[in-house]
Amino acid sequence: MAEISTPSEQRLNLCNGCKEVDAALDLYYEHHRNGASDDWQKLKYTLGTLDELSHTCACCLDIAASLPAFNHAYSPVNKFRLVIDDTDIMLKYKVPRNMRGDLETDYLFLLPTEPKSETLEHATPFDPAYFDLKLVRRWVERCETLHGEACCPAKKVPLPGLDSILLIDVVDWCVVSAPPEARYVALSYCWGQTAAVRALKHNISVLKTPGAISPCTTSFKIPPTIADAMTFTTEIGERYLWVDSLCIIQDDYNTKQLHLDNMAFIYANSHFTLVAAEGPNADHGLRGVGESKRDLPIHKIRLPSGSLVLNKPRAGFRLDSIWNSRGWTLQESLFSRRLILFDGFVSWVCCEGEWSEDTDRELDLQGSSSFLLTDRVGLYGRLPLWPDLRVWGSLVSQFNKRDLTFDKDVIDAFAGIETAGRPSFPGGFLLGMPQFFFDIAMLWQPERRLIRRINGGSNHLPSWSWVGWKGEIETQLWGASSDLPYNERYPLPEIIIEPLVQWKALESPEYPEQHAIPNSYAAHRSKAVPYAGWTEHQNNRATHYTHDKVPDQYFRYPVPLLEDSHTPSPAKHLCFLSLTAMRSCFKIGGILEDRFAEKGRFGPDPFTFNVSILDAANRAVGALRLNLEDVNEAPIGEECELITISAGTARIGEGQHSYLWKRDEWALKQWHNAVSQGILIEEGSEEEGSGGGEWEDAKEDETYNFFNVFWIERSGGTCYRKALGRIIKGAWVCNELTDIVLG
């Protein structure tokens, strides 16, 4: 075990600053031992830049030696600061705000190497070369004792279409068939470009032979990460391991698709998921297990009051890991109920707590109602029972900025998440888009510049769905435009979207068979007839509904809840849309400044931006969000062909989503007022685009009527989405209808 304390701390030579810190720590420990931690006032000690630290003070020398632990480069202006808070001791390498860039954190925890108080966390000894596998059993037992059903429910999630699954038997060293309810450890890792054995039709019978994949005798190439995972499973006393490359027959496309559709459930049913968060591919191994040694640094700061060890804040997933950047691993991390993460140190994350091998910290998440999708596991049990577009938009946004080796995998990598969400969304999904709210699902926007995904296979990745684009998308309008949730504080819906077109999906422009997209949110809203399980409530402001299954959630109208999960979504080859829409031509106007004002809040990376839409008289009548970041590329003055896809009414007074009106292209109050008075504002006039500060004067019942529009471009008889925007309803004077095939 590693030495993390020494007996010579009382004889240390300290500078005056470190003596002051040491005295404060003595007092701090005494406060905690006396149960007075709540009375502690935060103390901050600026120790200086690296060059200013004393060259004779043992504590300063230890602090200087800790710089590599911060993962950002030396700078002559960055200063070390020690902070003693009520529950934490932190060492900061203070980076000036204008130099922070993508820096996630500039601090590390300092933990005493021995217990100082029951209320203070302390470091625990660990082996810097090998992980102590006995910890796993203790973590599992602790979780099952403290958390029970929340983390390990007795009933497994059904796997539609799968009567059995393949597992690796680490006793007989072969692949075996097992019922879906079998107990197994699942592996989550990055495949990369590693050349390794895969289960195929021609070798599966060999892989099922006892001893076929024994590390000692196998002739198959088993990459280190999988080999270490098998060793790990053996050493902790489990028998079965699930690994996708060996437990899905990769060239049996029918059963493979069933596994892809059930992927989220396979991970949800695992005893726990073993996460190889380090390394770019399966050749990296699980460092600290089997033959894969690790070399963990120990940064210790010596003081007479007791040594302190640097400890990284590792709640949840390490954001900078390759594993956490891959599209395939999102469903694996979110739907697993319990994770053991190998990312240098080894830690445990479950639905109710987080623990790590190098500290006695026990982060308790019991009772937490937060829905931070990147920080929580066990998502299957927390998905809303009703079609919640806000949650769906968050999942889509998280997935779409992740990386895929092959663009064509985007639908399959998201298939498990779709399967999990399908019971809550009547009609399921078409290429990631909820059919029930199809009009609203069309209202996604590029947050930053998107890259077009190209499918080298037979299926086309459409421009109208987010699956056709890689990068950060904005789905705020999904939640804001879904008027289904009822808010007592804001009883009137702020945005109401109305259908204008009938959407039909087809395989190709030449193929006549069409699938009618239900898009039935408006029909349910207009009927608002409570049926089984629903109760109507009336007050002096608005009517709302509740359902027996979710009595604490209020709705503006009844919808089907938890449909049969076996109801299939439309086939993924239906990549084209047929519709009849109003069409007209306008012109691109000037750049709107609204989104640039947000750069200071969200970091230095450039946003996409909005431009005004001009009519034939050069008057501003709406706005488009362009998939561009460089304003010099804006096609100002270019003609744009627009089609209407839905109508909308926005209530522009103060409300739950009023930040949208003040922040985005909705800031067109003068345009709205001018249109209502029969006067349009000319591009470049003082009034044009200057109404962002006047929204506070808007009355609660003031409305803005608009059309949602696509700017389309044509190629070979097919139209493609180029941009999404809004145009004031009164400014649309051409009612020409045209048949469109959208690819």
Side-chain angles (χ1 to χ4, degrees):
M1 303 296 284
E3 285 286 334
I4 58 174
S5 64
T6 64
S8 58
E9 286 135 353
Q10 297 298 327
R11 300 190 297 274
L12 294 173
N13 180 34
L14 299 183
C15 65
N16 289 334
C18 290
K19 287 178 181 177
E20 189 176 352
V21 168
D22 187 58
L25 287 170
D26 266 332
L27 184 61
Y28 179 67
Y29 299 146
E30 188 65 27
H31 258 70
H32 273 270
R33 284 191 289 268
N34 294 334
S37 58
D38 291 343
D39 298 331
W40 181 260
Q41 299 296 314
K42 180 189 290 188
L43 297 177
K44 298 179 181 179
Y45 297 92
T46 299
L47 305 174
T49 66
L50 187 65
D51 298 329
E52 292 171 345
L53 294 178
S54 169
H55 297 287
T56 59
C57 170
C59 181
C60 284
L61 291 172
D62 288 341
I63 289 172
S66 73
L67 180 60
F70 282 90
N71 289 332
H72 51 277
Y74 158 78
S75 167
V77 299
N78 295 358
K79 293 191 174 185
F80 286 100
R81 176 183 290 175
L82 196 139
V83 178
I84 308 175
D85 208 342
D86 55 347
T87 57
D88 294 307
I89 309 166
M90 290 171 282
L91 181 65
K92 295 191 174 187
Y93 189 51
K94 200 65 180 172
V95 181
R97 188 173 298 276
N98 63 346
M99 298 172 60
R100 295 180 71 86
D102 294 330
L103 182 66
E104 291 291 341
T105 180
D106 63 353
Y107 71 91
L108 296 173
F109 290 115
L110 283 169
L111 303 181
T113 58
E114 57 186 22
K116 296 291 186 180
S117 162
E118 291 184 357
T119 58
L120 276 180
E121 177 187 352
H122 67 273
T124 54
F126 62 88
D127 187 329
Y130 291 102
F131 171 58
D132 181 4
L133 290 167
K134 293 191 293 294
L135 261 181
V136 175
R137 293 185 185 137
R138 293 206 293 270
W139 285 340
V140 170
E141 290 172 1
R142 183 191 300 177
C143 176
E144 291 175 350
T145 301
L146 297 179
H147 306 154
E149 281 279 319
C151 293
C152 39
K155 188 176 181 181
K156 301 284 189 179
V157 183
L159 306 181
L162 292 177
D163 298 324
S164 64
I165 58 174
L166 295 178
L167 297 172
I168 297 172
D169 184 335
V170 297
V171 173
D172 290 336
W173 296 110
C174 61
V175 174
V176 297
S177 294
E181 61 270 16
R183 176 163 143 167
Y184 57 89
V185 175
L187 176 65
S188 177
Y189 66 111
C190 297
W191 273 40
Q193 300 295 318
T194 300
V197 61
R198 297 182 301 158
L200 300 167
K201 290 179 181 177
H202 78 268
N203 68 8
I204 188 61
S205 59
V206 178
L207 290 171
K208 287 185 174 183
T209 305
I213 52 177
S214 169
C216 301
T217 60
T218 185
S219 59
F220 292 110
K221 176 176 171 48
I222 299 186
T225 297
I226 296 176
D228 289 344
M230 291 193 292
T231 300
F232 175 95
T233 306
T234 303
E235 293 293 325
I236 65 170
E238 295 295 327
R239 179 160 188 170
Y240 297 115
L241 172 70
W242 189 90
V243 181
D244 52 6
S245 59
L246 289 170
C247 298
I248 301 174
I249 301 176
Q250 301 295 317
D251 57 353
D252 185 342
Y253 298 108
N254 291 328
T255 60
K256 182 179 180 179
Q257 190 60 53
L258 284 172
H259 281 81
L260 293 174
D261 291 343
N262 283 289
M263 192 69 74
F265 298 158
I266 290 172
Y267 281 93
N269 286 340
S270 68
H271 187 48
F272 58 78
T273 295
L274 179 60
V275 176
E278 285 189 298
N281 53 47
D283 284 331
H284 187 81
L286 292 175
R287 302 292 168 88
V289 173
E291 300 299 318
S292 300
K293 289 182 66 174
R294 63 185 184 180
D295 184 16
L296 293 180
I298 301 174
H299 296 283
K300 185 172 61 172
I301 295 174
R302 295 163 293 166
L303 287 166
S305 57
S307 288
L308 300 168
V309 174
L310 280 177
N311 183 270
K312 293 185 178 182
R314 285 191 310 279
F317 313 134
R318 204 178 82 189
L319 298 178
D320 61 348
S321 70
I322 293 177
W323 170 82
N324 201 44
S325 71
R326 305 299 296 170
W328 286 97
T329 61
L330 178 65
Q331 60 189 350
E332 299 167 9
S333 61
L334 289 180
F335 287 90
S336 298
R337 302 181 194 273
R338 310 190 292 187
L339 304 176
I340 292 182
L341 286 139
F342 278 74
D343 64 347
F345 290 94
V346 181
S347 56
W348 169 280
V349 179
C350 64
C351 299
E352 302 287 340
E354 297 180 5
W355 309 310
S356 181
E357 67 170 316
D358 59 332
T359 170
D360 73 329
R361 180 194 303 137
E362 296 185 12
L363 182 58
D364 183 13
L365 301 176
Q366 284 182 298
S368 172
S369 60
S370 66
F371 205 93
L372 300 175
L373 294 174
T374 55
D375 294 338
R376 297 290 301 277
V377 298
L379 181 60
Y380 178 73
R382 296 183 292 113
L383 280 173
L385 305 183
W386 49 281
D388 189 334
L389 272 179
R390 179 186 64 87
V391 170
W392 189 251
S394 181
L395 283 168
V396 167
S397 299
Q398 285 296 323
F399 173 82
N400 209 52
K401 62 187 178 184
R402 290 178 168 233
D403 299 323
L404 293 167
T405 304
F406 305 105
D407 284 346
K408 66 181 179 61
D409 288 342
V410 60
I411 298 170
D412 287 339
F414 197 70
I417 298 176
E418 273 200 9
T419 302
R422 191 180 303 150
S424 301
F425 282 84
F429 305 93
L430 176 62
L431 297 174
M433 307 277 274
Q435 291 200 98
F436 185 80
F437 290 112
F438 202 72
D439 283 336
I440 299 172
M442 285 290 184
L443 306 182
W444 59 268
Q445 290 279 26
E447 180 74 357
R448 291 181 168 86
R449 188 168 190 168
L450 304 177
I451 300 171
R452 192 77 168 90
R453 284 192 174 109
I454 305 299
N455 188 354
S458 58
N459 292 331
H460 164 77
L461 295 176
S463 64
W464 48 265
S465 171
W466 58 266
V467 302
W469 304 85
K470 161 70 169 65
E472 291 188 49
I473 64 171
E474 180 189 295
T475 60
Q476 287 178 323
L477 281 175
W478 286 11
S481 301
S482 170
D483 62 339
L484 176 59
Y486 173 85
N487 187 303
E488 285 189 293
R489 184 178 177 187
Y490 306 109
L492 299 176
E494 289 174 83
I495 306 178
I496 298 178
I497 302 298
E498 297 287 355
L500 281 183
V501 303
Q502 292 184 332
W503 302 99
K504 297 177 182 178
L506 53 156
E507 185 174 349
S508 73
E510 296 79 26
Y511 194 68
E513 186 174 342
Q514 297 180 335
H515 161 75
I517 297 171
N519 195 34
S520 51
Y521 68 98
H524 283 83
R525 181 174 62 204
S526 62
K527 291 178 182 177
V529 177
Y531 39 94
W534 286 94
T535 303
E536 180 180 310
H537 306 271
Q538 294 186 348
N539 57 38
N540 58 354
R541 303 191 72 186
T543 300
H544 68 275
Y545 300 84
T546 57
H547 193 278
D548 296 344
K549 291 180 178 178
V550 280
D552 296 330
Q553 174 64 49
Y554 295 171
F555 301 90
R556 287 197 168 89
Y557 49 90
V559 294
L561 292 190
L562 276 187
E563 286 199 329
D564 182 3
S565 61
H566 295 275
T567 303
S569 291
K572 62 184 180 182
H573 62 263
L574 298 175
C575 305
F576 293 84
L577 295 177
S578 171
L579 62 147
T580 301
M582 292 189 293
R583 169 197 171 276
S584 190
C585 289
F586 292 83
K587 191 168 62 172
I588 301 297
I591 296 166
L592 301 178
E593 299 293 329
D594 47 289
R595 283 177 56 75
F596 295 105
E598 292 211 323
K599 286 189 177 181
R601 287 201 300 137
F602 292 100
D605 292 341
F607 277 98
T608 53
F609 56 88
N610 302 311
V611 293
S612 59
I613 300 171
L614 307 181
D615 68 0
N618 206 40
R619 296 173 297 191
V621 294
L624 287 167
R625 173 82 59 84
L626 301 185
N627 186 35
L628 297 172
E629 293 174 345
D630 185 351
V631 294
N632 295 314
E633 298 178 9
I636 295 174
E638 183 176 318
E639 185 178 88
C640 55
E641 182 181 3
L642 304 183
I643 61 170
T644 57
I645 59 171
S646 58
T649 299
R651 192 174 301 278
I652 59 179
E654 289 297 317
Q656 187 178 7
H657 301 287
S658 59
Y659 66 92
L660 284 173
W661 325 145
K662 296 177 181 180
R663 182 215 72 175
D664 215 337
E665 65 265 34
W666 300 90
L668 307 172
K669 186 185 176 188
Q670 280 86 349
W671 300 357
H672 157 69
N673 288 342
V675 170
S676 65
Q677 299 166 22
I679 304 169
L680 291 176
I681 296 173
E682 294 184 6
E683 175 82 349
S685 68
E686 292 183 2
E687 293 86 355
E688 190 269 324
S690 62
E694 297 186 17
W695 286 104
E696 295 177 0
D697 300 329
K699 298 177 181 178
E700 185 179 356
D701 58 351
E702 205 168 347
T703 57
Y704 160 40
N705 300 309
F706 58 91
F707 288 130
N708 290 309
V709 296
F710 274 166
W711 176 11
I712 58 171
E713 56 184 351
R714 296 175 180 266
S715 176
T718 300
C719 299
Y720 298 88
R721 167 183 162 147
K722 192 168 184 178
L724 169 73
R726 274 156 289 280
I727 193 167
I728 295 170
K729 198 170 185 179
W732 191 281
V733 294
C734 179
N735 294 324
E736 173 192 346
L737 293 175
T738 185
D739 293 332
I740 297 287
V741 173
L742 201 58

